Amino acid sequence: MTHQPELIPDQPSSAPSSEREVDRETYLDRLREYLKDPDFRAIEGFPIGEDEDILALSDPPYYTACPNPFLPEIIERWQEERHDLRMEAGLYEDVATSTNFESRHTREPLTIDISESRNSAFVNAHSYTTKVPHQAVMTLLLHYTDPGDIVYDGFAGTGMTAVAAQLCGSPGVGFKKKIERKYQVAGLEDPVWGERFCVASDLSPAATFIAANLNLPVDRSFEREAKLLREEVSQECGWMYQTRHTDGSLAKIHATLWSDVFICGECGSEIVFWDAAVDLSGREVMRRFPCPHCGAVHRKSDLDHAWAIRYDSALGTTVRQIKTVPVLISYSVPGVSSRLEKQPDTKDLERIRRIDSQTIPYWFPTDRMPPGDESRRNDRYGLTHVHHLFTQRNLWCLAAAFARADSLRLKFLLTSLMYKSTVLCAPLLSNYFAAKAGSPRGGWIGKERSGTLYCPSIHSEVSIIDQIDFRAGRADTTAASRKLPCLQVGSATESRIPAQSVDYIFTDPPFGSNRMYSELNFLWESWLKVRTDNEPEAIENRSQSKSLRDYQRLMTSCFRDYYRVLKPGHWMSVEFSNTKSAVWNAIQTAVSSSGFIVADVRVLDKEQGSIAQYTTTTAVKRDLIISAYRPSSSFEQRFLKQSGTAEGAWEFIRQHLAQLPVVVRTDGELETLSERQDYVLFDRMVAFHIQRGATVPLSAAEFYQGLRERFVERDGMFFLPDQVPEYDRARLEAESVAQLSFFVDDEKSTIQWLRQQLDPHTGGEPQTYQEIQPEFLQQLHQARHEELPELSEILEQNFLQDEKDRWYVPDPNRAGD
């Protein structure tokens, strides 16, 4: 039965009908014919894979592991069904009134900061390097769209936008009340609940495969199939995960810890890292530790690895890899509730040698890891091919399971446990130390790391059979509703969506060199046999010879296609997560040069961060949401007639001010909206003219003078005359108005702004880089003529850090400062 996340009570049955099975076979035959067409395969972003492997990974018409050829007919059907959803939601009584409804589509940017946890059933069902909480996307969809609207995400990842679009029709009671209360506090109209249609596309076959499983129906037979898979694999491979208890009885292994072995630079003896560096009494991994043979004290970074040479039967050659040894076994025996530990004995070591000496009787991927700083970071350890990332025991067991996985959902179950099954899996030693000290804490055996292929010096070999047991209870999570999304593998530069057919875009694209998606997804895709074509991948990547300029060029192409498919007068939200102001400027340039106009920037707090966000002081914990709109057709037509004239410039300012929020309250205080300040309005006007090849008709001095003559100024912001009464009423009711921020457009103004934020005498306080960075990017309007240093560099040159890694203004009265 389908797993029901807490947020989604009373999820409808998701068993496929026999009619859908017939349709699926029909669509598979049609897709097979498309795959024979060279022109179809020439579509940008087409994945690397054989026809039969692409077909095996597809579930048409709603999901294809390649560009979806059925997308136009699906969108045409949605256009017919949207009226039913709107009438069901009470937006109008009959189709005859729908035209008037469409003409009233107006929205201001959503001006509430969004805070949602990543800890949900959809996030926990399958790991991935980045995931936006679907509740956060729902908050945006409810503001910018109505039931039956078409939403598009060209960088869909694991399909959280599609999840959100479906769950707008069946939210949990608690979440529904939370959103309605948040909208009321912000003075927004109540959201209208009902499904939205969604097109979700991504360059990665692994990402869209995960998205398909989180969004399409689950067969009722899955629970039985998962149980049978576990039983068959256990029957064949269970002996590999056996050990002996102290009384000689058979016990079940849950995990085996392996340690790297190093060579002492003084005596030349081998040092087992676990034995030498792990201090159980002190509950720490020591940075400096003695050689157990000669007593010389070392740092791990100063030591050389010990090496082992073995014959790799899969490659037909010998390989040289770093030496690792098993050091601890976590196991259980019948009748004892707690798990036990032991050091591997001679029988355990003999069992491992026996497994290593045999040939695995199943297919498994032996691909060379692709070029890339991330994907080949373990070459120096001799881990050069996909199968090197597994112990022989886990590789055998996983291959046996894959050979029996004859459905997308069973493959999803196995990919969900894959990273935790590799030598990249590190034990959570803090939990282990706490348990040894008498404070039991679960989950120490291991956790996969998202966003990196780092291989730790102590890794955890977690039982595949255990993981199948655990993951089977999560792998049936789905948002499947009456109105399924359309999912495809493809480039955001060439969506093939009909022009002006999308009502709203939410997108979370790659940002510079933050994540090497194609490299990180290669492990999954090598097992699925369909891989990413990374040529159009929009990233900074030295191995792919892609600079920041290349990244900006690719992103501009993507946003131009977004502009093409979005209806005039409608909105796009772009999530941004990066530490570099250069990348921030690149993405804003890409957005605006494609025709969009930025209207607002807000904070998105995912609450629960990734491992990197917790352990790296420069990683950002809060993302930003850029709100941008496509100008209306009527305005574009008027501008064409007036382009290059002063009246055309003022016409732009009028329509832009009409799109901006009038009032934004935060804790009783009115916000100062930077988009309504004169210098930002001038910047937007200039950019709009340049992007359309028109002459800029006004100098800065002429613009600022004309702005004050034509529009109403309040608190350093400019309004249309009919907007002023609303702002004045809100100002009377508000406790205060936020102080106008410095113009952050060059290095000097950045330092002034930072002093204001960090100095208690100006209302600021010491802050970490993670706290400063999102607010800095919100205020940044970089001058075109100046090369602005990165925020981290400005902080290091002008401010100091305390013991909590918080930056503060130096005090001249303190000798240390």
Side-chain angles (χ1 to χ4, degrees), residues 38 75 80 123 174 271 304 335-336 347 356 369 401 414 425 508 525 533 536 539 550 589 634 682 707 767 778:
I75 289 179
E80 298 170 358
V123 172
I271 301 175
D304 292 327
V336 178
K347 291 186 180 296
D356 288 348
M369 294 299 290
L414 296 178
C425 178
D508 177 20
E525 292 176 358
D533 172 17
I539 56 173
D550 295 316
T589 300
S634 58
F682 178 70
L707 192 66
Q767 298 177 57
Q778 282 184 284

Side-chain angles (χ1 to χ4, degrees), residues 115 280 296 363 505 578 699 816:
S115 176
L280 294 179
W363 173 89
I505 294 171
N578 193 282
S699 68

Side-chain angles (χ1 to χ4, degrees), residues 73-248:
E73 59 193 74
I74 290 174
I75 289 179
E76 185 177 351
R77 186 166 69 246
W78 285 349
Q79 301 286 9
E80 298 170 358
E81 296 175 358
R82 69 190 307 164
H83 299 300
D84 295 335
L85 282 173
R86 289 180 173 180
M87 286 190 288
E88 187 178 294
L91 293 174
Y92 47 72
E93 295 181 357
D94 53 51
V95 176
T97 61
S98 64
T99 303
N100 186 41
F101 177 83
E102 293 284 355
S103 66
R104 296 199 312 268
H105 178 93
T106 56
R107 298 286 193 279
E108 291 182 357
L110 184 62
T111 54
I112 56 177
D113 287 345
I114 301 170
S115 176
E116 294 293 347
S117 173
R118 294 177 74 251
N119 186 23
S120 73
F122 293 100
V123 172
N124 295 333
H126 201 295
S127 64
Y128 195 70
T129 182
T130 55
K131 278 188 180 180
V132 180
H134 68 274
Q135 304 98 318
V137 185
M138 286 175 71
T139 306
L140 293 161
L141 294 185
L142 290 166
H143 174 74
Y144 287 110
T145 66
D146 294 303
D149 278 356
I150 297 174
V151 179
Y152 174 45
D153 185 352
F155 296 94
T158 58
M160 292 298 105
T161 303
V163 168
Q166 294 191 87
L167 295 189
C168 281
S170 55
V173 175
F175 179 73
K176 184 176 182 181
K177 289 182 177 179
K178 173 185 173 181
I179 290 298
E180 290 176 345
R181 184 165 56 250
K182 185 180 289 189
Y183 272 50
Q184 289 169 2
V185 170
L188 301 173
E189 293 183 9
D190 288 340
V192 181
W193 302 94
E195 293 103 324
R196 278 70 169 162
F197 297 111
C198 181
V199 178
S201 177
D202 198 277
L203 199 62
S204 166
T208 51
F209 168 75
I210 298 170
N213 279 281
L214 293 177
N215 281 282
L216 299 183
V218 181
D219 196 305
R220 284 199 182 100
S221 63
F222 171 71
E223 188 176 6
R224 173 176 52 80
E225 291 174 349
K227 183 178 180 181
L228 180 62
L229 175 69
R230 193 264 180 209
E231 290 174 352
E232 291 183 355
V233 172
S234 180
Q235 185 175 1
E236 178 181 342
C237 302
W239 66 273
M240 301 182 189
Y241 300 98
Q242 288 181 344
T243 188
R244 293 282 179 180
H245 187 40
T246 52
D247 62 4

Side-chain angles (χ1 to χ4, degrees), residues 617 622 753-759 763-776 795 799-802 804-809:
T617 58
R622 294 190 297 168
W753 181 83
L754 286 169
R755 291 186 68 89
Q756 183 187 70
Q757 300 302 306
L758 302 177
D759 192 345
E765 61 180 355
Q767 298 177 57
T768 65
Y769 180 89
Q770 296 170 319
E771 293 168 333
I772 299 169
Q773 191 263 358
E775 280 73 18
F776 168 69
L795 285 166
F799 301 91
L800 296 175
Q801 269 183 298
D802 61 18
K804 297 180 180 178
D805 291 327
R806 299 180 305 176
W807 293 95
Y808 67 93
V809 178

Side-chain angles (χ1 to χ4, degrees), residues 306-378:
W307 291 86
I309 297 176
R310 67 177 182 85
Y311 181 74
D312 186 334
S313 59
L315 299 180
T317 186
T318 56
V319 293
R320 181 175 180 266
Q321 297 173 335
I322 56 172
K323 183 177 180 179
T324 60
V325 294
V327 292
L328 188 71
I329 293 175
S330 172
Y331 69 99
S332 63
V333 295
V336 178
S337 58
S338 60
R339 292 190 178 181
L340 306 170
E341 294 174 12
K342 60 176 285 191
Q343 292 183 345
D345 55 34
T346 55
K347 291 186 180 296
D348 295 316
L349 298 177
E350 177 56 37
R351 190 183 302 269
I352 291 172
R353 281 193 290 269
R354 178 186 166 193
I355 296 169
D356 288 348
S357 66
Q358 297 188 47
T359 300
I360 297 175
Y362 299 101
W363 173 89
F364 55 85
T366 58
D367 303 78
R368 177 71 167 97
M369 294 299 290
D373 292 347
E374 189 64 48
S375 53
R376 291 196 174 174
R377 67 181 301 160
N378 297 313

